[in-house]
Amino acid sequence: QVQLVESGGGLMQAGDSLRLSCAASGPRFSFDSYAMGWFRRAPGKDREFVATITWSRQRYADSVKGRVTISRDKAKNTAYLQMVNLKPEDTAVYYCAVTSLPADVTSNQYEYWGQGTQVTVSS
């Protein structure tokens, strides 16, 4: 139903900024009826919530609040994750995900997932 492709990851240094992109496609995809979220899986860690956006609001994990901004471009069916002041602990594979509404948009029980993009932050 929904296909997601992430891009924008790479090798970074602490303090750098980075913008990840997530392009969504599908026969019935709509930003108005889905939440789009960003999650990450650090080495040896479980996948964790980072940020999400719906038609009404944005939410952020406490661990990234103040350093991360999630946004969307409805015309392009694309969501973005802008990260500033990157830290080594931000190193992870970042996944884009979407789920139909209503939903618990901060859980990792989203319906559709991308393949991920690697972000590596060195100290």
Side-chain angles (χ1 to χ4, degrees):
Q1 288 183 289
V2 180
Q3 295 78 46
L4 303 170
V5 179
E6 305 98 329
S7 62
L11 298 174
M12 313 297 294
Q13 290 188 294
D16 284 353
S17 298
L18 188 67
R19 187 196 195 199
L20 305 180
S21 298
C22 174
S25 63
R28 293 183 295 279
F29 177 79
S30 170
F31 277 110
D32 291 337
S33 58
Y34 286 86
M36 180 169 285
W38 286 96
F39 296 79
R40 65 186 183 186
R41 192 193 304 277
K45 303 286 187 178
D46 293 331
R47 178 179 286 160
E48 65 175 355
F49 167 74
V50 177
T52 188
I53 187 168
T54 68
W55 63 269
S56 62
R57 61 179 170 173
Q58 306 163 21
R59 294 186 183 186
Y60 300 95
D62 289 342
S63 60
V64 300
K65 191 174 181 63
R67 300 191 297 116
V68 166
T69 302
I70 188 169
S71 61
R72 69 180 189 179
D73 185 330
K74 187 174 182 178
K76 297 180 179 179
N77 279 350
T78 299
Y80 305 94
L81 187 73
Q82 178 71 44
M83 299 184 288
V84 301
N85 192 25
L86 287 166
K87 304 175 183 294
E89 51 263 43
D90 294 321
T91 295
V93 177
Y94 283 72
Y95 298 91
C96 180
V98 299
T99 195
S100 58
L101 297 172
D104 180 356
V105 296
T106 65
S107 80
N108 65 4
Q109 297 179 15
Y110 277 49
E111 297 172 74
Y112 309 102
W113 295 84
Q115 294 301 306
T117 184
Q118 176 72 46
V119 175
T120 302
V121 184
S122 62
S123 60

